Every structure is written in structure tokens, then in C-alpha cells.
Amino acid sequence: MNDNKTAHMALEYDEKIRATIPNYDLFHSETIDLVKRINPTPQKWLDTGCGTGTFAVDAMKAFKSTKFVLADPSAEMMDIAMKKIDKTDSMKMESLGILSTEEIELPDESFDVITAIQAHHYLQQEGRKAATKNCFRLLKPGGIYITFENIRPLSEAGLKIGLERWKQFQILQGKSDEEAHKHIYRLDKEYFPITIEEHLELLRTAGFSTVEVFWASYMQAGFYGMKE
Ligand SMILES: C[S@@+](CC[C@H](N)C(=O)[O-])C[C@H]1O[C@@H](n2cnc3c(N)ncnc32)[C@H](O)[C@@H]1O
């Protein structure tokens, strides 16, 4: 039994993730770059689905005056994140506790920035809607929500090609054929990717005005939504 929804136990996540998700570090650097261009001095930033806290540590270094709030439904992931952050700057960080995005009950308009990096593709349609709406509710007017997600190619043929490319990426990083196959074919059983257009519609339906895809490669993409 795993201690979180990813394919890896929390303790091995940092070691394995770069052999699992192509361009993993780019998700973090692209997000930081985007926020810098839109709001270089956010006051409060929620990173939901923070995992082991790698992104939060990078963001804290890049945004010196920002207060960061972290949440994740896995106690084991949060524990590793907290230890990492203690070594960085615990004064700038607050843990919300062991919570999924859809469970966060802070007051409306609490944050300038919300990030959810590879955190919501474990949810099915209603869960995703609830999580995205909650992020909209929690943002201040003018705030930005950024999410990276697994995406579903538009056709069955495209899906087959996308999965094969993703599998070959993992094999090139040293995974066995069996391990890579097992990871990829959690599709529609443990992770539920939706198309880029469905992602954009999800953001529009939640209430976001400016809605964009700003990065895509393999079967992952980055989206943002601005709240008017
Ligand atoms: C692939 S990891 C990504 C972690 C981190 N954001 C990163 O960039 O490394 C996915 C994380 O999402 C968390 N997660 C799963 N379901 C979630 C939900 N409904 N809301 C928020 N986070 C969730 C998992 O516990 C896990 O830590």
C-alpha cells in the first residue's frame, strides 16, 4: 500500500520523480517565471499538493517577502516537505495540515497566488471541479492560479503515441520495461487525465477570466487562470 497517490512512496519520491515525469524541474521554473512577470511581490501563496516541498523551497528562494502556505493529503509527503523547509526558512512558511485542495476551508480571498503542481489528476470530474472552484474562491481578485497536470491527447491514436513516448522516456532514464509499463498503465485507474480543452473549460467554469495554457510537452501541460 502506497502512502500517497503517486506511484512512489514519499521517501523515494525525490529520487524517482525525474525518471518518471519528463521536464519535472521545468514545471517549477516556468511557474516561478510566470508569477514573477505577473506579480513579482505576492503577499500570500498557497502551494496545494506540495508533495515533498521541492517547489515550495525554490519559490521561497525566488520570492523573499512572500508568506507560503502548504497543504497535501499525504502525511508522509508533508513530513518530508516540513523537514526541507525547516532547513530553508520556516518563518516564511505555514502548514495547513493534511488536506486535499477541495477540503481547504480558509476564508474567501486569502491568497495572491495558488499553485497545484501535478496534484489534481488523481481526481475524477466532480473532485476536480470542487478543487478548482475552491482555488478560485481562495484567491484574491487579481490573483493567479497555476496548475500543471497530466493531459489526455485528443485521439485514441494520439493517446497510444503519448503513452509510448512517456514509457520510452522512463526506460531511457533507467527504469525497466515492466516498471515503466506499470507506471503508464495506471491510466484511468489511478490517474485520470483530461484534454487541454477540458482543462481550459474547467478553469472557465470555475470563474477564471483569463485562462491560458502556457507550457506543454509529452503528456503534461501548465495552465493558469486569473481572477478578475
Ligand atoms: C506528483 S506529486 C506532486 C508534488 C509536488 N507538487 C511536486 O511538484 O513535486 C502529487 C501530490 O499531490 C497530492 N495530492 C493527491 N491528491 C490531491 C488532492 N486532491 N489535492 C491536493 N493534493 C493532492 C499527493 O499527495 C502528492 O503529494
Side-chain angles (χ1 to χ4, degrees), residues 3-7 13-14 17 21 24 27-28 47-55 71-75 77-78 99-104 115-123 127 131:
D3 57 16
N4 67 86
K5 297 252 183 199
T6 78
Y13 178 84
D14 284 351
I17 194 62
I21 306 184
Y24 170 73
F27 303 171
H28 298 172
D47 185 37
T48 180
C50 67
T52 57
T54 304
F55 172 67
D72 196 286
S74 158
M77 288 291 211
M78 275 304 268
L99 285 175
S100 298
T101 307
E102 58 281 21
E103 296 169 341
I104 298 174
T115 42
I117 299 185
Q118 293 291 120
H120 292 164
H121 51 256
Y122 313 101
L123 292 166

Side-chain angles (χ1 to χ4, degrees), residues 41-83:
T41 53
Q43 282 178 350
K44 263 189 120 179
W45 182 326
L46 169 67
D47 185 37
T48 180
C50 67
T52 57
T54 304
F55 172 67
V57 167
D58 286 353
M60 277 169 145
K61 288 180 184 158
F63 294 86
K64 304 263 185 232
S65 63
T66 303
K67 174 94 184 171
F68 285 85
V69 177
L70 306 191
D72 196 286
S74 158
E76 290 77 6
M77 288 291 211
M78 275 304 268
D79 190 45
I80 296 172
M82 291 306 112
K83 286 184 181 136

Side-chain angles (χ1 to χ4, degrees), residues 22 37 42 59 82 84 90 111 122-123 226:
R37 305 302 149 222
M82 291 306 112
K84 241 183 232 174
S90 55
F111 298 100
Y122 313 101
L123 292 166
M226 308 269 302

